């Protein structure tokens, strides 16, 4: 079948609804979706019945309320359509109520203490803006998940709240600029997903990869990514087959696969979907990550979505391309030919700059997780300091306006290739600094800090909320102005003079930037735990509350969940490390040291006293003693963490004591690996893992 034929074939999409739903129901549902209104409950019955019939034709026997608890993965219980009629025969049933609302037991999902005070029951509520689909015999219904009393317990609820908030506030600004037609502004997201693919059987033989998603040991391989020969290189056949199947699966789910290529590290790749409404893009990204894992397995591969599966080569991120689109099809971040006179654009641009400067601690928090701590600032990913790269021409426009100069508006530069037959290419000035955490890339901002395994939702919640707040503050300046141009120019002036410090067009990887950022007073929050604390700062609690995103108790709960998760992840890593040390590495070293000693004695008996062999044996013996002591201390530290009273103390201990100690152990074990017989080493080496697909 051709791509247009398979595209969306598993989705209860607009085409299916238009064909199958009674016309008035279809129109009403469309209106609900487009305007973000609540659904008329009378329609649910009709939609549910139609959805059920379609799903059964697609081979579904079950349905599930699919939701995103705060675990970075998705969840759902599968309910059968089949129920007994009064004669005990099976009939297929699915009511409007079952479509709209589910009541899963919330007690086994992270709730950050909300569960302690309220009933354990949670609710899932149908999100009609993200289409349902059939997958492996089950109808998947995207839903939001909240507690018995309505507190959000998931990623989607706050995202939808923030999308609503930014829409309402953006429309108010559009009205000031004379646009009285727009009814909805949608935050769009384009997500780029990095990942590794390695051989399945090698993956299966490493406990660290299986349990933690990353290697806890592994000596530096002779070749990493230094030759730059993998990036965008020819895609190996096995990987190409995987990508082909992935494309197909995603097309069936109505996801537009936009690009695929090899990334910088060996065995690393990237996939990007075409941008769409942030809510759908987030759902699609979750689905993509799940399909990647499944399809990899079918191809004898393992897909690693961890931020730092391997030391010594690049880690993986997720780029979140953020913009606002009005329902008349316009991108509010499109600068047009002359940004200096595009007043509406200037207002939105300044709102974004101000928002990032004011709430950079929250933006940093949105990209924080145990995995990303291993990646940020590692000369492969943006540093922990938040800044914006605007590109020189746009920055000059703002500066000229702010300083009251006549605007020397940018005319495009053209590349000189020196070859007449090649076309002349306009130079895209804004985008080419790849080191910035947030870059303006022509008509959107690209947030490059997110970790590959993270849900994109929270980052978008933060960006939407912060921008909403600043637009709210701009509103009276604009409404009270007698002259709109001077009001806009005063906003530009204020933005550059008070928030210009957040703009940096240079190399974010350089040491000088760290110094410079310090002078500018920009926060440099190096660890996740410190970043999480920004969620419960007075100023930020107020931001969330004023914009109806999170109540104070929701913020406190989220903070608690993030800390708790951090502690658990690192404790699990430490336990895996301890097991690998005691049951794999130490026995292997002892065995090899024994072999070496035997050889030494055999040779000595034959009259040869080889001091090199003796020194290898004694080096191994030192490693054995050191690693044995370390493994004992590691166990003590794991026990100690359990005795700490607050999750904050435990998280600080995990971040500042346990992780560094684990690094130290790794260094010793990796050295031991380099002098141990390969056939005795108990698991595959880095060269095996990175170059054997
Ligand atoms: P790069 O590697 O240069 O960052 P890619 O082509 O890999 O670029 O990815 C760009 C991403 O940005 C894609 O997901 C694309 O759909 C998305 N995108 C393009 N325009 C917009 C926009 N206006 N709003 C949000 N995302 C966008
Ligand atoms: Mg990118």
């Amino acid at each position: 079948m051709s791509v247009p034929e398979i595209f969306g074939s598993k989705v209860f999409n607009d085409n299916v609804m238009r064909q199958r739903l009674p016309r008035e129901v279809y129109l009403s549902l469309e209106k609900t979706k487009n305007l973000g209104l609540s659904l008329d409950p009378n329609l649910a019955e009709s939609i549910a019945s139609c959805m059920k019939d379609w799903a059964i034709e697609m081979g579904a026997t079950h349905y599930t309320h699919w939701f995103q608890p705060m675990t970075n993965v998705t969840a759902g219980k599968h309910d059968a359509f089949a129920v007994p009629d009064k004669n005990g025969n099976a009939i297929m049933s699915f009511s409007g109520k079952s479509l709209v609302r589910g009541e899963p037991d919330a007690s086994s999902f992270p709730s950050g203490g909300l569960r302690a005070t309220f009933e354990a029951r949670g609710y899932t509520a149908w999100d009609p803006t993200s289409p349902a689909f059939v997958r492996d015999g089950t109808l998947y219904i995207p839903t939001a998940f909240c507690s018995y009393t309505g507190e959000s317990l998931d990623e989607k609820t706050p995202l939808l709240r923030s999308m609503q908030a930014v829409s309402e506030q953006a429309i108010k600004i559009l009205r000031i600029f004379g646009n009285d037609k727009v009814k909805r502004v949608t935050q769009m997201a384009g997500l780029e997903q990095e990942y590794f693919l390695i051989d399945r059987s090698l993956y299966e033989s490493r406990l660290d990869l299986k349990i933690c998603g990353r290697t806890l040991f592994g000596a530096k391989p002779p070749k990493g990514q230094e030759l730059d020969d993998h990036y965008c290189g020819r895609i190996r056949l096995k990987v190409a087959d995987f990508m082909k199947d992935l494309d197909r699966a995603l097309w069936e789910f109505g996801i537009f696969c936009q690009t695929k290529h090899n990334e910088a590290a060996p065995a690393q790749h990237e996939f990007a979907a075409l941008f769409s409404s942030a809510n759908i893009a987030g759902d699609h990204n979750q689905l993509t990550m799940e399909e990647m894992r499944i399809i990899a397995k079918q191809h004898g591969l393992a897909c690693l979505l961890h931020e730092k599966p391997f030391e010594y080569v690049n880690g993986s991120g997720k780029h979140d391309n953020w913009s606002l689109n009005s329902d008349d099809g316009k991108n509010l971040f499109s600068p047009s030919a002359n940004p200096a006179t595009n007043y509406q654009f200037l207002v939105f641009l300044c709102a974004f700059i101000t928002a990032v400067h004011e709430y950079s601690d929250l933006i940093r928090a949105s990209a924080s997780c145990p995995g990303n701590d291993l990646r940020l600032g590692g000369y492969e990913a943006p540093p922990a300091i938040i800044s914006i790269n605007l590109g020189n021409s746009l920055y000059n426009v703002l500066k000229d306006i702010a300083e009251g100069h006549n605007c020397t508006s940018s005319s495009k530069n053209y590349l000189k290739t020196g070859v007449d037959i090649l076309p002349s290419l306009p130079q895209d000035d804004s985008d080419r600094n790849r080191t910035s955490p947030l870059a303006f890339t022509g008509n959107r901002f690209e947030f490059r800090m997110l970790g590959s395994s993270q849900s994109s939702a929270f980052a978008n919640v933060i960006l939407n909320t912060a921008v909403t707040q600043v637009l709210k503050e701009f509103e009276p300046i604009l409404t009270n102005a007698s002259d709109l141009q001077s009001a806009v120019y005063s906003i530009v002036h204020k933005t550059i003079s008070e928030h210009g410090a957040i703009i940096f067009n240079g190399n974010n990887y350089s040491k000088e930037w760290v110094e410079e950022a310090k002078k500018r007073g920009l926060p440099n929050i190096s660890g996740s735990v410190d970043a999480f604390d920004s969620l419960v700062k007075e100023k930020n609690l107020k931001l969330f509350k004023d914009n109806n995103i999170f109540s104070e108790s929701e913020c406190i709960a989220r903070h608690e969940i993030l800390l708790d998760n951090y502690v658990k992840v690192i404790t699990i890593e430490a336990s895996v490390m301890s097991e690998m040390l005691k049951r794999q590495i130490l026995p292997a070293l002892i065995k090899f040291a024994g072999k070496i000693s035997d050889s030494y004695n055999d040779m000595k008996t034959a009259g040869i006293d080889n001091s090199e062999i003796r020194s290898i044996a004694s080096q191994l013996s030192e490693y054995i003693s050191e690693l044995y002591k370390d493994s004992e201390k590691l166990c003590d530290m794991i026990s100690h963490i359990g005795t700490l009273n607050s999750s904050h103390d435990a998280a600080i201990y995990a971040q500042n004591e346990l992780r560094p100690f684990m690094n130290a152990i790794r260094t010793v074990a990796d050295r031991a690996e380099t002098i141990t017989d390969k056939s005795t080493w108990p698991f595959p080496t880095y060269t095996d893992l990175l170059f054997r697909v």
Side-chain angles (χ1 to χ4, degrees):
M1 281 210 289
S2 68
V3 176
E5 279 168 329
I6 59 170
F7 188 82
S9 56
K10 291 185 173 172
V11 186
F12 191 69
N13 57 20
D14 194 57
N15 284 340
V16 180
M17 286 191 265
R18 197 170 332 122
Q19 280 164 21
R20 293 184 168 236
L21 286 172
R23 185 148 176 78
E24 64 289 359
V25 176
Y26 170 75
L27 292 175
S28 201
L29 180 60
E30 277 303 282
K31 204 165 149 202
T32 299
K33 285 195 306 193
N34 294 340
L35 301 183
L37 307 171
S38 335
L39 184 80
D40 175 353
N42 299 322
L43 302 182
E45 214 55 58
S46 163
I47 300 169
S49 143
C50 177
M51 217 188 242
K52 177 196 72 181
D53 292 344
W54 170 83
I56 291 170
E57 283 169 32
M58 297 293 297
T61 53
H62 289 66
Y63 66 93
T64 184
H65 271 202
W66 188 55
F67 60 99
Q68 298 170 22
M70 289 176 55
T71 52
N72 282 325
V73 292
T74 66
K77 185 175 77 182
H78 296 217
D79 287 293
F81 287 125
V83 290
D85 69 3
K86 49 184 183 309
N87 301 320
N89 297 320
I91 52 163
M92 300 299 255
S93 144
F94 183 55
S95 65
K97 185 173 165 284
S98 309
L99 165 65
V100 172
R101 202 176 82 162
E103 299 185 6
D105 181 356
S107 61
S108 295
F109 295 106
S111 76
L114 288 175
R115 196 171 62 233
T117 33
F118 304 101
E119 231 185 291
R121 181 169 293 291
Y123 286 122
T124 47
W126 176 37
D127 166 16
T129 61
S130 181
F133 54 93
V134 167
R135 185 181 183 208
D136 303 327
T138 295
L139 169 68
Y140 278 67
I141 303 159
T143 59
F145 176 51
C146 55
S147 78
Y148 182 69
T149 40
E151 276 98 354
S152 68
L153 292 176
D154 68 344
E155 305 282 3
K156 186 185 273 268
T157 311
L159 176 64
L160 292 173
R161 287 177 188 162
S162 75
M163 289 174 74
Q164 184 174 319
V166 79
S167 173
E168 285 166 10
Q169 190 53 50
I171 289 171
K172 288 185 186 157
I173 302 292
L174 294 184
R175 295 282 184 266
I176 299 173
F177 287 97
N179 186 330
D180 48 14
K181 295 232 167 51
V182 168
K183 294 203 172 60
R184 183 122 183 119
V185 168
T186 305
Q187 188 235 313
M188 308 303 279
L191 299 170
E192 303 162 48
Q193 178 72 48
E194 291 179 339
Y195 61 98
F196 280 82
L197 282 181
I198 60 168
D199 180 85
R200 185 89 200 174
S201 59
L202 299 176
Y203 163 85
E204 295 283 350
S205 58
R206 287 201 57 140
L207 193 65
D208 47 4
L209 281 175
K210 278 191 71 163
I211 305 290
C212 312
R214 74 176 183 104
T215 52
L216 299 171
F217 298 102
K220 191 174 193 301
K223 176 179 188 284
Q225 64 190 57
E226 32 306 82
L227 298 181
D228 296 324
D229 51 350
H230 191 256
Y231 185 66
C232 286
R234 185 185 67 80
I235 298 172
R236 271 178 260 184
L237 291 180
K238 205 163 178 184
V239 173
D241 282 345
F242 159 88
M243 288 179 170
K244 223 161 108 186
D245 282 1
L246 178 67
D247 285 339
R248 191 193 158 92
L250 298 184
W251 278 323
E252 287 177 347
F253 290 129
I255 300 172
F256 280 105
C257 310
Q258 202 178 358
T259 62
K260 53 183 178 185
H261 63 83
N262 285 351
E263 253 304 326
Q268 191 184 29
H269 313 279
E270 184 183 299
F271 165 85
L274 182 67
F275 69 102
S276 58
S277 137
N279 180 32
I280 296 180
D283 287 0
H284 281 174
N285 181 249
Q286 291 289 350
L287 196 52
T288 301
M289 292 196 287
E290 287 174 20
E291 289 297 318
M292 280 177 167
R293 289 201 177 96
I294 297 167
I295 293 170
K297 196 169 178 184
Q298 290 164 351
H299 285 256
L301 299 166
C303 174
L304 308 177
L305 290 161
H306 194 281
E307 285 74 19
K308 192 73 181 174
F310 303 102
E311 210 41 67
Y312 319 113
V313 295
N314 279 10
S316 300
K318 178 167 350 222
H319 292 180
D320 176 24
N321 291 269
W322 183 100
S323 68
L324 296 176
N325 264 20
S326 52
D327 58 6
D328 54 356
K330 298 217 172 76
N331 177 351
L332 305 185
F333 281 84
S334 188
S336 65
N338 192 356
T341 54
N342 187 345
Y343 305 132
Q344 184 187 297
F345 165 74
L346 289 174
V347 168
F348 280 97
L349 181 67
C350 288
F352 193 91
I353 296 168
T354 307
V356 172
H357 190 228
E358 282 286 338
Y359 300 102
S360 65
D361 54 349
L362 283 176
I363 294 173
R364 170 70 183 88
S366 75
S368 299
C369 66
N372 225 15
D373 275 0
L374 302 167
R375 170 181 166 263
L376 291 179
Y379 287 86
E380 58 192 75
I385 307 161
I386 304 282
S387 67
I388 297 177
N389 170 61
L390 271 190
N392 289 331
S393 52
L394 192 55
Y395 182 51
N396 288 339
V397 169
L398 293 186
K399 250 180 36 188
D400 284 345
I401 296 173
E403 290 164 8
H405 301 313
N406 255 348
C407 200
T408 49
S409 202
S410 55
S411 63
K412 275 217 180 286
N413 289 330
Y414 284 82
L415 298 181
K416 292 186 187 70
T417 58
V419 181
D420 293 341
I421 197 171
L422 297 179
S424 67
L425 302 175
Q427 204 170 15
D428 189 357
D429 146 274
S430 56
D431 174 30
R432 293 310 120 188
N433 176 351
R434 309 295 300 180
T435 66
S436 180
L438 262 159
F440 185 72
T441 55
N443 60 1
R444 61 190 184 271
F445 278 95
E446 182 175 359
F447 182 43
R448 303 196 179 110
M449 254 179 133
L450 272 182
S452 49
S453 73
Q454 290 190 283
S455 156
S456 58
F458 193 49
N460 286 324
V461 168
I462 303 295
L463 291 172
N464 293 342
T465 310
V467 168
T468 304
Q469 176 61 35
V470 178
L471 287 174
K472 214 184 246 178
E473 289 159 16
F474 285 175
E475 192 187 336
I477 305 176
L478 297 166
T479 25
N480 299 335
S482 50
D483 162 19
L484 207 48
Q485 180 192 336
S486 1
V488 171
Y489 281 13
S490 78
I491 285 177
V492 174
H493 178 78
K494 189 170 148 65
T495 304
I496 292 299
S497 58
E498 290 172 22
H499 305 289
I502 199 77
I503 300 170
F504 178 63
N505 294 334
N507 178 7
N508 294 68
Y509 293 176
S510 70
K511 279 202 205 73
E512 292 75 30
W513 170 231
V514 177
E515 284 309 306
E516 166 69 18
K518 201 165 165 187
K519 279 194 216 131
R520 295 187 185 191
L522 299 179
N524 184 356
I525 308 174
S526 64
S528 283
V529 181
D530 311 282
F532 295 151
D533 290 346
S534 60
L535 247 84
V536 289
K537 275 206 234 152
E538 207 64 53
K539 174 182 171 188
N540 297 334
L541 289 173
K542 184 166 158 40
L543 169 78
F544 289 126
K545 190 156 167 272
D546 289 352
N547 292 288
N548 299 319
I549 309 299
F550 292 128
S551 65
E552 188 170 326
S553 61
E554 285 176 314
C555 281
I556 293 170
R558 237 150 243 265
H559 181 232
E560 186 66 25
I561 290 171
L562 290 167
L563 292 173
D564 191 50
N565 173 263
Y566 192 88
V567 174
K568 284 178 180 153
V569 168
I570 294 184
T571 310
I572 292 169
E573 286 185 352
S575 307
V576 169
M577 179 170 248
S578 163
E579 176 160 343
M580 288 174 81
L581 261 184
K582 286 191 170 155
R583 302 185 60 189
Q584 295 189 291
I585 295 178
L586 280 167
L589 291 176
I590 293 167
K591 191 168 155 195
F592 186 54
K595 266 200 217 163
I596 295 260
S597 307
D598 287 350
S599 305
Y600 174 73
N601 288 333
D602 289 351
M603 284 169 80
K604 205 168 174 196
T605 317
I608 309 164
D609 186 352
N610 186 314
S611 61
E612 274 77 28
I613 302 184
R614 204 173 50 211
S615 85
I616 297 176
S618 76
Q619 181 62 261
L620 283 166
S621 162
E622 273 173 36
Y623 287 141
I624 291 168
S625 310
E626 197 171 344
L627 289 173
Y628 179 77
K629 270 190 243 135
D630 286 349
S631 74
E632 293 289 291
K633 183 171 170 199
L634 186 61
C635 288
D636 290 344
M637 290 177 90
I638 296 170
S639 310
H640 177 68
I641 214 166
T643 65
L644 295 171
N645 284 331
S646 75
S647 47
H648 195 264
D649 288 350
I652 289 284
Y653 184 77
Q655 177 185 271
N656 298 347
E657 309 289 332
L658 194 46
R659 263 254 166 106
F661 184 59
M662 289 170 65
N663 275 342
I665 296 181
R666 180 196 174 128
T667 309
V668 179
D670 290 357
R671 267 193 226 126
E673 182 189 327
T674 61
I675 59 160
T676 304
D677 172 20
K678 188 164 191 297
S679 63
T680 317
W681 195 249
F683 34 76
T685 63
Y686 264 36
T687 301
D688 293 332
L689 293 168
L690 290 169
F691 295 97
R692 287 258 301 261
V693 167

